[in-house]
Amino acid sequence: MNTLRLRTAARTLLPLFPLGALLAGCGDTGGLVSAGSTPTASGPVHLWPDRRGASVPPADPGGAPPEYVKGIPPVRDQDVHAVDPVALVQAELRAHPDTEVGADGMPPRTAAAIQECATDQAGQAEQDPEACPVLKPYYRDLTGNGKDELIVGIEFPDKMMSVRVYTADPGGRLNRIMATTETVISVELAGRDVILKVPSGNRGYELITAWSWDERQLTMLPTREQIVRVPGSPAPGNPAPGKSQAPGAREPAPGPGRP
């Protein structure tokens, strides 16, 4: 009986020896080490909470209201690929003649040049690309309805540009859902957003604006803005390229009155 108990106890203790060795090894082979105390996270603090703040009236949407384009035949199956962008802009000029400001605003010289643009494929092939201010169109589903929208760029003088976006409703009517004129550095498409880069008011920085579809107002709105440093721009206080001290040059020796 005693021999049976000793054998049973021995069998119970045997697995504990390798487990103890394993635990001892964990401490010797790069186990988790405390990084010290973690600073307590703190939320924003409202300064002067008893002060009665100024009231701000609701802001305007900032985008051009949706507007159906007159003078363009309806498109089938909401396919804007079939629309001639030059004929589209010419139709807008006819609907809003002599308009120089606002969403339909256009310099007279630019409007006159657009009227001379060819609207047939043969004429467009022979036309000087720089003679027509209406640029090559782009297509992207910006509203999320599974159909492409038509994105048109119009070159204005002094590097200004009008960026316009059109969609087609189930009835085939073309609806302009974005129109903005800026001194544009570049235009990009990111997902369902139209990204405009323009010079900011600060030297060495540019303003990036993302225009997105708003289902409530049925138009594209500037939803996000960010000011970023232009790549390669020197940091404030650093000498501009070409202004650094020549290699090997020495500082002037201290003279009278100099420390």
Side-chain angles (χ1 to χ4, degrees):
M1 183 68 73
N2 293 338
T3 304
L4 180 59
R5 290 181 179 177
L6 289 175
R7 289 179 181 177
T8 304
R11 290 178 182 177
T12 307
L13 293 175
L14 281 176
L16 297 180
F17 290 103
L19 178 59
L22 180 61
L23 292 176
C26 289
D28 297 335
T29 56
L32 295 177
V33 179
S34 174
S37 59
T38 304
T40 304
S42 59
V45 178
H46 188 183
L47 305 185
W48 303 290
D50 297 333
R51 178 181 177 271
R52 185 175 181 179
S55 59
V56 179
D60 293 331
E67 177 179 338
Y68 286 107
V69 182
K70 301 177 181 178
I72 292 292
V75 299
R76 296 182 179 180
D77 300 324
Q78 298 177 263
D79 183 11
V80 296
H81 292 259
V83 179
D84 187 329
V86 174
L88 176 60
V89 177
Q90 289 176 345
E92 290 186 308
L93 287 174
R94 292 192 297 269
H96 304 277
D98 303 324
T99 303
E100 299 187 26
V101 297
D104 295 288
M106 192 173 299
R109 185 175 65 182
T110 304
I114 292 175
Q115 298 289 13
E116 298 297 326
C117 293
T119 57
D120 60 295
Q121 293 184 355
Q124 291 176 356
E126 299 177 358
Q127 182 176 253
D128 181 2
E130 297 183 358
C132 184
V134 181
L135 303 179
K136 168 189 173 182
Y138 285 88
Y139 305 91
R140 177 70 65 89
D141 180 10
L142 302 175
T143 62
N145 65 351
K147 302 289 185 177
D148 281 344
E149 273 66 52
L150 170 62
I151 306 165
V152 175
I154 307 172
E155 285 283 11
F156 285 7
D158 301 325
K159 302 297 182 181
M160 297 191 71
M161 185 178 184
S162 176
V163 180
R164 304 181 180 186
V165 177
Y166 306 84
T167 189
D169 66 8
R173 296 184 300 175
L174 280 180
N175 184 12
R176 190 179 68 195
I177 57 176
M178 174 182 171
T180 184
T181 301
E182 302 280 357
T183 304
V184 174
I185 298 173
S186 65
V187 183
E188 301 174 0
L189 290 175
R192 287 165 52 188
D193 292 344
V194 179
I195 311 296
L196 269 63
K197 293 184 179 181
V198 304
S200 73
N202 298 324
R203 295 186 60 182
Y205 291 82
E206 61 188 13
L207 176 64
I208 301 177
T209 305
W211 289 71
S212 309
W213 170 250
D214 187 285
E215 295 182 354
R216 293 185 177 181
Q217 302 192 38
L218 301 178
T219 187
M220 301 280 289
L221 297 177
T223 54
R224 299 185 303 278
E225 289 188 342
Q226 183 181 13
I227 297 178
V228 299
R229 180 184 295 278
V230 177
S233 178
N238 291 346
K243 298 293 185 179
S244 59
Q245 190 175 7
R250 298 182 178 179
E251 292 289 339
R258 291 184 178 177

